[in-house]
Amino acid sequence: MIKLIAIDVDDTLLNSQNKITIQTKEALQKALQMGIKIVLCSGRPLAGVSPYLNELGISGDEQYVITYNGALVETVSGNIISKNTLDNDSYRKIVSYATINHMPYYVLDDESNVYTSDHDVNRFAIIQAWENSAGILIRTPDELDDDFEITKAAIVGEKEQLDQFEQPVKDQFSNDYYVVRAGGNFLEIMHQDVNKGSGLKKLAQALKIEPDEIMTLGDEQNDIPMFNFAGTAVAMGNGSDLAKSHADYVTDTNDNDGIAKILTKKIF
């Protein structure tokens, strides 16, 4: 019996118009009425997923959300269950590397704030800030407190740029950090113990829910750790081939109510 459904946001919960379809919303609300926990599990911060939590009617300290790809596990009200951040030394290393190699980047703190020292701000940093209903703080490391920490850094750019950046960044940082391509335009660097699977595991332990009582839905590389943890892993039809290869099932696309269809088939 499924007791918790963990759902990626971009290109999974949301269709290509960045909307939740009517059928998906109705299916998730039906699951909520059955007592199933619906947990959004995203690379976004809480501010970036709050509009969708509100739309689905998910609120309070008895509902949960996994943000920053697992760096924070918290209640929807914002009470933290677990947090893994990168210290100031790590932040400075990443910024120095990105700057020297002319890689557009931004970082996020644990309050959904977006920072970069790039004066020519990449459009994907702007998109992230817009999703968070926030601005962008242009700051060098020396302009911030010595104890400033981040939840994650993101090297950003057009897909062709990131195709060139991905391996050098992984070569530089993968021994000490979790580095993952979170879609075509985002290459993310986080604490080595952080991923969606570890965040989901911490939440499951807190709720005393077993892996075989969990369904996960996603579309990209950063969803694979939660696929590997859960008893039932579902990739979206629009997902990457790599994500699909780690899933138990492949449902329809995000534009064709893939979530509603798999829930109807496996739960209702």
Side-chain angles (χ1 to χ4, degrees), residues 1-6 200-201 203-204 209-216 226 229-233:
M1 178 180 176
I2 298 298
K3 295 182 179 179
L4 186 154
I5 303 172
L200 185 57
K201 181 179 180 179
L203 178 58
I209 294 175
E210 297 298 323
D212 62 4
E213 297 173 318
I214 297 172
M215 173 185 283
T216 55
M226 71 174 183
F229 174 72
T232 304

Side-chain angles (χ1 to χ4, degrees), residues 39-228:
V39 178
L40 301 191
C41 191
S42 176
R44 298 189 187 203
L46 183 58
V49 300
S50 290
Y52 309 112
L53 293 167
N54 294 337
E55 185 176 353
L56 293 168
I58 300 173
S59 62
D61 269 343
E62 298 300 317
Q63 299 294 339
Y64 304 88
V65 61
I66 298 170
T67 54
Y68 304 101
N69 274 324
L72 261 70
V73 180
E74 55 195 319
T75 70
V76 174
S77 299
N79 290 320
I80 294 173
I81 295 171
S82 71
K83 179 169 75 170
N84 280 309
T85 55
L86 293 176
D87 62 17
N88 192 260
D89 184 56
S90 296
Y91 159 64
R92 287 174 178 269
K93 285 179 182 177
I94 294 166
V95 170
S96 176
Y97 179 85
T99 302
I100 290 170
N101 290 282
H102 307 289
M103 296 178 177
Y105 84 95
Y106 66 82
V107 301
L108 284 160
D109 67 12
D110 62 358
E111 296 182 350
S112 304
N113 297 310
V114 182
Y115 298 81
T116 186
S117 59
D118 294 339
H119 289 282
D120 296 324
V121 181
N122 186 274
R123 71 186 183 97
F124 292 104
I126 295 171
I127 289 170
Q128 175 71 85
W130 177 80
E131 289 175 347
N132 299 352
S133 300
I136 299 175
L137 301 171
I138 310 296
R139 303 286 190 276
T140 66
D142 289 339
E143 292 177 296
L144 295 165
D145 293 339
D146 290 340
D147 60 354
F148 176 73
E149 296 185 345
I150 62 173
T151 54
K152 71 173 183 177
I155 308 296
V156 294
E158 303 303 326
K159 181 181 182 302
E160 295 74 17
Q161 282 182 292
L162 285 201
D163 288 345
Q164 296 178 5
F165 293 161
E166 183 172 0
Q167 196 56 51
V169 171
K170 287 183 174 179
D171 290 344
Q172 179 71 23
F173 292 110
S174 287
N175 285 341
D176 300 310
Y177 306 96
Y178 174 53
V179 183
V180 66
R181 185 77 174 263
N185 309 109
F186 300 88
L187 180 61
E188 300 187 344
I189 306 168
M190 289 156 283
H191 190 284
Q192 61 184 350
D193 295 330
V194 164
N195 58 62
K196 289 187 179 184
S198 64
L200 185 57
K201 181 179 180 179
K202 289 172 183 175
L203 178 58
Q205 289 173 338
L207 297 177
K208 295 181 171 54
I209 294 175
E210 297 298 323
D212 62 4
E213 297 173 318
I214 297 172
M215 173 185 283
T216 55
L217 297 107
D219 72 298
E220 262 298 348
Q221 289 183 38
N222 60 330
D223 297 314
I224 291 172
M226 71 174 183
F227 282 5
N228 292 340

Side-chain angles (χ1 to χ4, degrees), residues 8-57:
D8 171 56
V9 173
D10 294 289
D11 299 317
T12 299
L13 176 69
L14 305 181
N15 65 11
S16 57
Q17 304 303 311
N18 289 319
K19 303 290 185 183
I20 304 174
T21 68
I22 293 173
Q23 289 83 355
T24 293
K25 185 187 302 185
E26 289 176 349
L28 293 176
Q29 289 175 334
K30 182 176 180 180
L32 284 165
Q33 291 167 3
M34 294 170 61
I36 298 171
K37 300 291 187 187
I38 302 298
V39 178
L40 301 191
C41 191
S42 176
R44 298 189 187 203
L46 183 58
V49 300
S50 290
Y52 309 112
L53 293 167
N54 294 337
E55 185 176 353
L56 293 168

